[in-house]
Amino acid sequence: MTSTGHLLTTPDDQPRADLLELVGAIEPWDDLERTHLEAATQWVASGAPVYRVRKPDVPAMHLVSYFVVLDDTCGQMLLVAHRKAGLWLPAGGHVEPGEDPWAAVVRECREELGIEAVASRSSASVPSS
């Protein structure tokens, strides 16, 4: 995935540039994920608000970090029942204004599960915070 080539000129240039770099570093598994990554890149580069500013969902589209808890000893992963969505999803939460998505993972993992977030071998590396 490559950068959009847009020049960022707003006060939140660096957080947006960091988000674009994170999204751009993701290798898509298939065409659907490639489409989603392209849409995310366009959204972040557009200058639209990316952080939730008011509960429950203002703006409607905002940044959320999900994380997968894996148990390597038995090959299982944890999913949680999301009350509002009515779905079983990975744990996660809203990224606070100005917060790095990896920092949100660390915070949400501690708040929701009471455990330390550690990148697995399958994720290759830990996003920087």
Side-chain angles (χ1 to χ4, degrees):
M1 187 105 202
T2 60
S3 170
T4 62
H6 292 113
L7 294 176
L8 301 172
T9 59
T10 61
D12 63 350
D13 280 356
Q14 193 57 55
R16 282 186 192 277
D18 293 345
L19 288 172
L20 288 170
E21 186 176 337
L22 283 173
V23 172
I26 298 170
E27 255 328 292
W29 283 33
D30 57 20
D31 288 338
L32 179 59
E33 187 173 16
R34 184 173 289 102
T35 300
H36 288 173
L37 289 168
E38 289 168 359
T41 299
Q42 291 173 0
W43 170 61
V44 172
S46 75
V50 293
Y51 301 106
R52 181 177 73 171
V53 294
R54 191 171 67 243
K55 292 182 181 183
D57 56 2
V58 176
M61 184 180 229
H62 55 272
L63 193 58
V64 177
S65 283
Y66 287 98
F67 54 92
V68 177
V69 178
L70 298 172
D71 183 341
D72 289 333
T73 60
C74 61
Q76 295 181 341
M77 68 181 212
L78 174 70
L79 296 176
V80 295
H82 191 285
R83 292 183 301 242
K84 291 181 183 175
L87 300 169
W88 288 91
L89 298 171
H94 301 275
V95 180
E96 299 295 330
E99 184 178 36
D100 177 83
W102 178 250
V105 165
V106 171
R107 178 180 50 76
E108 290 288 343
C109 194
R110 185 178 51 249
E111 289 175 2
E112 291 188 10
L113 305 175
I115 61 176
E116 178 185 358
V118 177
S120 79
R121 288 171 278 149
S122 63
S123 68
S125 64
V126 177
S128 61
S129 52

